[in-house]
Amino acid sequence: MNIFRLLGDICHLVAIIVLLLKIWKTRSCAGISGKSQILFALVYTTRYVDLFFTYVSLYNSVMKVIFLASSYATLYLIYVKFKATYDFNHDTFRIEFLLIPCVILSLLITHDYSPVELLWTFSIYLEAVAILPQLFMVSKTGEAETITSHYLFALGAYRALYIVNWIYRYYTESFIDGIAVVAGIIQTILYADFFYLYITKVLKGKDFKLPA
Amino acid sequence: MGDIVAHDEL
């Protein structure tokens, strides 16, 4: 564990809490892509099946349980409790276009052909693109609530900090996981446009609106 | 496919 990874995990946690609080406080999931949240729940479920097989540390296990529980809580809020506020008309990204390539890619490029490893690989590839339905929704409506943009920023910053952590680990431990690194870089690049607008607009107190 | 990597990250 190094400071970059810890900061990354904290950003990840903050993102999830911000999203849950936003939905809970406003009693609405307007502007939130339920499809991205389904994909994230799938990411955590397939990655953290190792909770039953490998123990890394108490920190790891607790965080995994939090990520799993919060992702299903988010789905419950969107699809059950505040279903009436769910903006399904704008949440039209076809997730099979992400799921099928991720399944194929995880069968082609993996560290090992064991069920748990294949699920882990799939979860890494899927996480890289899971935000696309949300970004698609923002681009469709042309705007995002400020709190939603904070959520997206924290979620994007998390993987960007992991990249710094991987560079650090490469030099200090000679540790490198090619699959996670390449997927993590792609994941971060997908947020690049958003980061730019967030920094130039939201941090200056303006609304998050895409240029017309 | 390369070495098996221990997944100690989240």
Side-chain angles (χ1 to χ4, degrees), chain A residues 5-61:
Chain A
R5 210 201 112 184
L6 183 63
L7 284 173
D9 288 347
I10 290 170
C11 274
H12 197 179
L13 202 56
V14 166
I16 289 166
I17 293 169
V18 162
L19 181 63
L20 274 174
L21 280 180
K22 173 216 141 54
I23 297 174
W24 188 254
K25 292 262 178 191
T26 60
R27 321 294 287 170
S28 161
C29 54
I32 300 300
S33 166
K35 290 186 173 180
S36 272
Q37 296 308 317
I38 290 173
L39 295 182
F40 281 121
L42 197 55
V43 164
Y44 302 132
T45 309
T46 51
R47 189 175 309 166
Y48 299 155
V49 282
D50 72 349
L51 264 173
F52 300 103
F53 306 104
T54 25
Y55 178 79
V56 178
S57 65
L58 182 64
Y59 170 83
N60 259 58
S61 298

Side-chain angles (χ1 to χ4, degrees), chain B:
Chain B
M1 280 300 161
D3 299 325
I4 296 170
V5 177
H7 305 305
D8 58 352
E9 294 177 343
L10 291 165

Side-chain angles (χ1 to χ4, degrees), chain A residues 5 9 22 67-68 103 111 122 131 150 167:
Chain A
R5 210 201 112 184
D9 288 347
K22 173 216 141 54
F67 289 150
L68 275 168
V103 169
H111 292 303
F122 169 75
I131 201 60
H150 292 329
I167 295 168

